[in-house]
Amino acid sequence: MMENFFELEIAYIVIGIFFLLVTAFVTTRDFMPKVAFKRGMLGIFALFAIMISIHYFVTTNRMDGVKTLFNEGKTIICENKMRRTISQSVLISQKLGWRLEGDYFKNPDFERDFFTARCVDYAPMAPKKVK
């Protein structure tokens, strides 16, 4: 799963680097105490490292769950970034001709693949039956 780390987290890593640069700039000003740079950089780095790690593990666990549910024949819902106006999501299941190749759902009827990180289980979103 570590091969997906940069693909999943690169945006958050860039944001973290930006905040480290801002912290470095602010903490090296003359009006800041001498220890501000060290404490600020360590604090911001630790905060972003923890947040990125948590996000990575939550995302990879969801990906594993989506793959398991798909292989069990359940329906998955994926975000469709190509069509924002008509259909913002796509239902994916083996019954509809989808197959799972690595971390991507593929279907010959669709021009693009769907990454499992952008998908969730459809069942919690399905309408509940009223008794």
Side-chain angles (χ1 to χ4, degrees):
M1 274 293 179
M2 282 305 284
E3 64 271 4
N4 289 332
F5 181 76
F6 286 111
E7 186 174 0
L8 294 170
E9 304 302 326
I10 193 66
Y12 302 112
I13 291 170
V14 170
I15 292 169
I17 291 170
F18 173 76
F19 275 91
L20 283 171
L21 292 172
V22 170
T23 302
F25 179 77
V26 171
T27 57
T28 56
R29 300 299 96 195
D30 293 336
F31 59 86
M32 296 296 289
K34 297 286 183 210
V35 296
F37 177 78
K38 182 178 174 182
R39 289 180 183 167
M41 293 299 278
L42 287 174
I44 294 297
F45 180 82
L47 177 69
F48 273 94
I50 290 167
M51 290 170 53
I52 288 170
S53 297
I54 290 170
H55 181 264
Y56 176 74
F57 287 110
V58 167
T59 302
T60 54
N61 285 337
R62 187 181 68 246
M63 288 169 64
D64 291 339
V66 164
K67 288 188 230 177
T68 301
L69 291 169
F70 178 80
N71 289 328
E72 291 174 356
K74 304 251 168 68
T75 302
I76 306 300
I77 189 167
C78 290
E79 178 183 24
N80 186 2
K81 291 184 176 183
M82 286 184 70
R83 292 189 179 174
R84 291 275 187 202
T85 56
I86 300 169
S87 173
Q88 291 186 355
S89 58
V90 174
L91 295 179
I92 293 177
S93 73
Q94 293 173 347
K95 296 175 212 161
L96 298 172
W98 289 91
R99 67 187 184 284
L100 181 61
E101 292 182 13
D103 289 326
Y104 291 89
F105 292 114
K106 298 181 180 235
N107 187 324
D109 296 334
F110 280 78
E111 57 190 65
R112 69 178 290 256
D113 306 331
F114 291 92
F115 190 37
T116 54
R118 308 293 172 242
C119 302
V120 293
D121 180 16
Y122 178 67
M125 295 176 205
K128 304 286 187 224
K129 292 182 180 179
V130 180
K131 293 183 180 182

